[in-house]
Amino acid sequence: MINFRGTVLSLHPLFVIVMLASVMTGRFFELLTLFAIVFIHELGHAGAALAMGFKVRSIQMLPFGGVAVIEDDRRMNAAREIIIALAGPLQNVIMIGIALLCQAAGWGDGPFLSYIIQGNLIIALFNLLPVLPLDGGKVLQALISLFVPYHATLLWTSRAGLICSLLMIGYGLVPILSNEGVKLNLLMIGLFLAYSNYEDHRNIQYRFIRFLVNRSQIQEHQQEGMGTAQPIVADSSKPLDDIMRLFKREKYHLIYVMNRQGSLMAVVPEQHVISSYFASSRPPWYA
């Protein structure tokens, strides 16, 4: 584990085991090349985040890739999240371009350059799959959050990721039916993605609470950047958490509270609803 200017660089224990196994099987150089490709991929995410003023907490190398943990403060929006997510595959495209130029110029070892091109292509395409926590899944989640309430976005993207992961596991086990060996690589990747999406689904409420905390700290000039306030019409008896689950990531909301007769009781800014929820007090329209 290395701490470089506040960013922790680490290897997952399973990754260390895979590296040791590659030494014993004579595939260490190939794995080291893939390690470098994945690390540059993750540096792309980290570089894009740092360029936009976000803190990169850690970069961890996993057996099937890597993960850059970026601090999610109230400045993170869908557009920035998409840029950060795509910055990783962009590094793979750049490396493929450099390798192709070297091949055209006759520089370097041909088979090694072909291996670099193939490795970058596989890693880029794999990461662009629309499954969390891969880059494609993050892009898909950010796009959906533009049109769907944020809580529903978290819920359904994690469920979709879990379903896709289970399908991948099933596909990896299909050869058993014809007395063939399992597709071990696909099975292991599917298990890893299934576990990641299961953990993501378990932590939805925590992520949503963090989203609300960031929303409660939005300043007036940031509200103006969200455009015209989007109204939410709610009955006075509607629970606060049900109202907040209608909040969209890129919108600022005003809650129009109606009584049973359909008359308007109050117009409440979203921050008042959030602060009332965290204070566990009566709804703000009774204040």
Side-chain angles (χ1 to χ4, degrees):
M1 183 181 295
I2 303 173
N3 193 317
F4 180 74
R5 296 185 178 181
T7 301
V8 177
L9 309 176
S10 64
L11 299 178
H12 192 279
L14 285 177
F15 186 87
V16 177
I17 294 174
V18 171
M19 291 286 284
L20 292 175
S22 71
V23 173
M24 295 176 9
T25 58
R27 309 287 293 182
F28 179 73
F29 184 71
E30 288 87 343
L31 188 63
L32 188 62
T33 302
L34 287 178
F35 171 86
I37 291 172
V38 172
F39 187 65
I40 293 172
H41 175 105
E42 296 304 321
L43 287 180
H45 295 310
L50 289 171
M52 287 187 280
F54 293 102
K55 180 180 179 181
V56 180
R57 292 181 178 177
S58 65
I59 297 176
Q60 185 180 41
M61 301 303 295
L62 303 170
F64 310 110
V67 58
V69 179
I70 297 163
E71 192 171 276
D72 183 7
D73 62 20
R74 58 184 177 273
R75 295 182 300 109
M76 180 67 78
N77 57 24
R80 289 169 179 162
E81 191 167 351
I82 290 172
I83 291 171
I84 292 172
L86 293 179
L90 177 62
Q91 308 312 306
N92 300 118
V93 173
I94 292 173
M95 284 186 279
I96 289 173
I98 293 174
L100 288 172
L101 288 175
C102 289
Q103 278 188 336
W107 300 336
D109 182 66
F112 178 64
L113 290 174
S114 296
Y115 183 76
I116 290 178
I117 293 170
Q118 183 181 25
N120 274 288
L121 189 61
I122 291 172
I123 290 171
L125 292 177
F126 172 70
N127 274 280
L128 288 174
L129 290 174
V131 182
L132 290 171
L134 303 179
D135 300 333
K138 293 176 181 177
V139 170
L140 180 63
Q141 187 178 77
L143 289 173
I144 292 175
S145 72
L146 295 174
F147 309 99
V148 178
Y150 192 61
H151 186 272
T153 298
L154 295 176
L155 184 65
W156 289 107
T157 51
S158 67
R159 287 179 177 176
L162 187 57
I163 291 171
C164 290
S165 303
L166 294 176
L167 289 174
M168 191 178 295
I169 293 171
Y171 187 69
L173 294 173
V174 163
I176 294 178
L177 300 176
S178 56
N179 295 322
E180 299 178 10
V182 299
K183 298 180 179 180
L184 187 58
N185 288 343
L186 190 62
L187 179 62
M188 295 299 292
I189 291 172
L191 288 170
F192 171 72
L193 293 177
Y195 174 77
S196 297
N197 280 278
Y198 172 72
E199 287 296 311
D200 187 65
H201 193 272
R202 284 184 56 198
N203 291 321
I204 282 176
Q205 189 59 23
Y206 164 75
R207 293 180 63 190
F208 186 63
I209 291 296
R210 187 174 61 184
F211 162 75
L212 293 176
V213 170
N214 288 336
R215 297 284 292 200
S216 67
Q217 299 170 353
I218 291 177
Q219 304 298 320
E220 271 189 40
H221 68 280
Q222 292 172 305
Q223 295 171 18
E224 293 173 0
M226 292 180 173
T228 305
Q230 180 169 325
I232 294 177
V233 179
D235 186 89
S236 59
S237 62
K238 194 177 185 69
L240 295 180
D241 53 351
D242 286 352
I243 294 174
M244 293 185 298
R245 288 184 181 188
L246 298 175
F247 289 178
K248 291 183 179 178
R249 183 179 188 180
E250 303 289 318
K251 296 291 184 179
Y252 180 75
H253 301 89
L254 293 175
I255 294 82
Y256 289 72
V257 185
M258 315 295 290
N259 61 21
R260 293 182 180 179
Q261 290 73 39
S263 300
L264 181 64
M265 293 177 58
V267 179
V268 184
E270 64 175 47
Q271 285 99 335
H272 290 194
V273 176
I274 296 171
S275 60
S276 179
Y277 174 79
F278 285 129
S280 298
S281 60
R282 293 189 305 172
W285 44 87
Y286 287 104

